[in-house]
Amino acid sequence: MPMLTEDQRAQIKEHLEQRLVDPVEIVHFTQAESPLIVPGRHECQYCKETRELLAEVSELSDKIRLTVYDLVRDREQAERYGVDSVPATIFSSQHTKGVVRYFGVPSGYEFAAVLEDLVDLSTPGSGLSADTLAKLGALTQDVHIQVFVTPT
């Protein structure tokens, strides 16, 4: 059963068609459900739902490319992206030096933020003022910004 209704799919598709400029890459890390209870293994609470939601969104635009990895099977890729918990999603494009990393399921208001991330990443330029760009350009080391949200 789809995560998005037909009406939601139509609205999102129209939004993406109007606003996406260049391709966006989504790399998603998940964990396969185990039919067995394995001592010491913690099942991923929202992996299935997150994977399904991202797949549905990626089907709505040919400018979105989704690659899915399993955290355990694809350990080398997880290390490459610095992922050690799931669900984890990395958004990037040709316009970014860095990436947007999202841990958890993008539900509620966070889903709208993820859609806007896709649009922002696909668009050249940052929308930042010249003063802000100058101040950021003066930084001498990488900056790691974390934003924490709660389900709504």
Side-chain angles (χ1 to χ4, degrees), residues 70 73 102 109:
D70 183 275
R73 268 194 334 259
Y102 190 99
Y109 290 115

Side-chain angles (χ1 to χ4, degrees), residues 4-136:
L4 301 170
T5 66
E6 284 302 316
D7 185 49
Q8 290 169 328
R9 290 174 64 86
Q11 289 178 21
I12 294 166
K13 182 177 177 82
E14 180 180 346
H15 179 75
L16 295 174
E17 284 176 355
Q18 292 175 354
R19 309 246 345 253
L20 290 181
V21 177
D22 292 316
V24 178
E25 176 84 22
I26 301 174
V27 176
H28 179 65
F29 288 88
T30 190
Q31 179 179 319
E33 293 181 54
S34 175
L36 304 173
I37 297 174
V38 179
R41 176 182 163 138
H42 300 286
E43 291 298 320
C44 178
Q45 190 172 6
Y46 294 107
C47 278
K48 180 181 177 199
E49 293 83 0
T50 305
R51 183 177 61 249
E52 289 174 1
L53 182 61
L54 292 172
E56 286 184 40
V57 170
S58 70
E59 292 169 359
L60 299 176
S61 173
D62 59 357
K63 292 183 179 174
I64 300 173
R65 181 171 168 235
L66 173 65
T67 304
V68 178
Y69 294 110
D70 183 275
L71 181 67
V72 176
R73 268 194 334 259
D74 302 308
R75 194 76 223 147
E76 187 175 303
Q77 291 296 330
E79 289 174 7
R80 175 178 166 226
Y81 285 97
V83 171
D84 58 6
S85 62
V86 288
T89 309
I90 291 89
F91 303 93
S92 64
S93 76
Q94 65 187 19
H95 301 296
T96 58
K97 289 183 183 177
V99 297
V100 174
R101 294 175 2 131
Y102 190 99
F103 291 88
V105 58
S107 62
Y109 290 115
E110 290 78 35
F111 181 67
V114 163
L115 291 177
E116 287 310 303
D117 284 342
L118 293 172
V119 170
D120 289 344
L121 288 166
S122 79
T123 307
S126 65
L128 298 174
S129 70
D131 183 49
T132 300
L133 290 171
K135 287 177 182 174
L136 291 172

Side-chain angles (χ1 to χ4, degrees), residues 128-150:
L128 298 174
S129 70
D131 183 49
T132 300
L133 290 171
K135 287 177 182 174
L136 291 172
L139 294 173
T140 58
Q141 58 187 8
D142 288 344
V143 176
H144 181 88
I145 298 172
Q146 291 181 296
V147 177
F148 295 88
V149 296
T150 59

